[in-house]
Amino acid sequence: MPPKKGAMNPALAMWYAFWTWFHPHWIRFLLFFLGGVAKPPTRANHNVTIIGDGVAMGVGDYWVAIGGGAGIANRIKWLIARRRKIRTKWEYFNSGEVLSTSADWLPGKKLFDKCFSKGVRGCGKKSEVIVLMIGTQDILKGEVGMPEEVLKRPIPAPGEFYKEEELCQTVKNIRDTIRVLLETDPRRRVLLCDIMSGNGFRLDSEFAHVYDCVNKQIIDLTKAKNPLAVGPYDFGDRFPKWVHMSPPKVVGKRNVKCSDGVHLNSKGYKGISDWVAADIEQAMLQVEFTYLKGMIG
């Protein structure tokens, strides 16, 4: 478990710097050797892949210090299994990458192509449920690309949408990624998470208005009435679904933040896994039902 930032002596400061560098490398190591290999989907076997930045990867989850899986991918596996609603075998893959932005996950970029390639490690290509957790680093790195006039105005009310020229580059990138994901697999379901933050987190304390504007635009991508969502294509009941990643009853609790103020700690990842499991399970059930309809038809 990393030390808390604050008034550290030099030795603790050096340990914190080492942990910050080492932690993502250790997660990658565990994922490479223990993450398994995705099998092509069949009527009896399916895959879920989580893509995105450090929140998707599980940065801050000190459970990996003893070889456990990081983030929500490993946790939802057991949560969903205990609910006993799923009737087929599902594998869960963590493809998050620390410090990655929405631009890094555009089709044609290295991270996207690696995850959705035909190779052995291309778990995304073989996954019929994709969970996107993207946008945190866009804000922290100043790469949102939100028009200045948009930031000067109040956020539109629910049911009102931004115009195309008012969309930030982050949301345009996410929209392009979702569009390709849905086009390339007729059974695929996409779950889009808003950017995770809460009281006391850096995004909430240092970038509050930008954070709220970006999240409004991200959530609107999942609104079927929004003409700018993922058109001009009609994906019917496979329209992307919103997964709420900032519920106050989870991120508002004490002692759920990692010491960097951006990611969650193990307690936080456990809480958010409990929160999102039902949404992911619903998408999995829809995939299973698609196969069932094919058998009956």
Side-chain angles (χ1 to χ4, degrees):
M1 178 179 177
K4 294 184 178 181
K5 293 181 73 176
M8 295 187 211
N9 62 38
L12 282 177
M14 289 181 63
W15 164 241
Y16 180 81
F18 170 76
W19 174 265
T20 302
W21 170 84
F22 174 76
H23 187 55
H25 289 287
W26 181 238
I27 294 175
R28 292 190 195 101
F29 174 84
L30 292 174
L31 291 175
F32 184 83
F33 287 101
L34 304 177
V37 176
K39 298 178 181 179
T42 65
R43 188 175 64 191
N45 297 282
H46 312 281
N47 305 296
V48 176
T49 293
I50 298 172
I51 67 173
D53 49 37
V55 177
M57 188 180 192
V59 172
D61 191 350
Y62 51 79
W63 177 240
V64 299
I66 56 175
I72 74 169
N74 190 57
R75 288 177 169 84
I76 60 172
K77 176 179 181 178
W78 306 111
L79 287 170
I80 291 176
R82 287 201 299 265
R83 295 162 70 96
R84 298 188 176 184
K85 293 183 179 180
I86 300 299
R87 293 290 179 256
T88 56
K89 182 178 180 181
W90 286 80
E91 297 294 338
Y92 304 79
F93 296 92
N94 178 345
S95 289
E97 181 55 47
V98 65
L99 301 180
S100 63
T101 66
S102 61
D104 295 319
W105 285 99
L106 283 169
K109 292 298 183 71
K110 182 179 178 179
L111 285 179
F112 184 94
D113 291 350
K114 178 182 177 182
C115 183
F116 295 92
S117 69
K118 296 180 180 179
V120 174
R121 294 287 172 177
C123 55
K125 183 174 180 62
K126 302 164 188 171
S127 294
E128 294 158 302
V129 175
I130 304 292
V131 184
L132 282 81
M133 299 181 180
I134 304 175
T136 299
Q137 292 300 321
D138 294 60
I139 296 177
L140 294 175
K141 294 180 179 181
E143 298 179 8
V144 169
M146 184 74 71
E148 286 296 326
E149 57 272 18
V150 174
L151 294 175
K152 295 177 182 178
R153 298 200 306 267
I155 296 174
E160 298 179 359
F161 305 112
Y162 287 98
K163 299 176 182 178
E164 177 69 28
E165 61 272 16
E166 296 174 330
L167 296 182
C168 65
Q169 190 59 49
T170 294
V171 170
K172 291 179 180 178
N173 291 343
I174 293 173
R175 183 177 62 180
D176 290 345
T177 299
I178 292 175
R179 189 177 294 165
V180 171
L181 291 175
L182 292 175
E183 286 176 349
T184 51
D185 189 333
R187 292 191 178 95
R188 179 172 287 151
R189 304 283 170 158
V190 174
L191 302 177
L192 177 59
C193 302
D194 58 298
I195 301 172
M196 190 280 300
S197 189
N199 186 32
F201 283 77
R202 280 190 62 196
L203 293 186
D204 187 64
S205 59
E206 300 177 26
F207 307 92
H209 189 57
V210 175
Y211 165 75
D212 289 340
C213 288
V214 177
N215 260 354
K216 162 67 175 172
Q217 294 188 1
I218 286 177
I219 294 170
D220 283 351
L221 288 181
T222 65
K223 306 296 184 183
K225 294 182 179 181
N226 180 7
L228 305 179
V230 291
Y233 308 99
D234 181 10
F235 296 108
D237 66 346
R238 293 195 305 123
F239 207 80
K241 304 297 183 183
W242 170 43
V243 176
H244 188 19
M245 279 289 289
S246 300
K249 62 168 50 181
V250 177
V251 299
K253 290 183 177 180
R254 297 181 59 187
N255 304 321
V256 297
K257 296 193 304 293
C258 173
S259 52
D260 64 7
V262 175
H263 302 96
L264 297 165
N265 59 21
S266 289
K267 179 181 177 182
Y269 283 115
K270 180 182 183 300
I272 206 69
S273 298
D274 291 338
W275 180 264
V276 305
D279 291 321
I280 297 175
E281 180 185 61
Q282 181 61 32
M284 295 161 63
L285 288 169
Q286 289 172 334
V287 170
E288 290 185 343
F289 185 64
T290 300
Y291 278 90
L292 180 62
K293 286 195 301 183
M295 292 172 57
I296 296 175

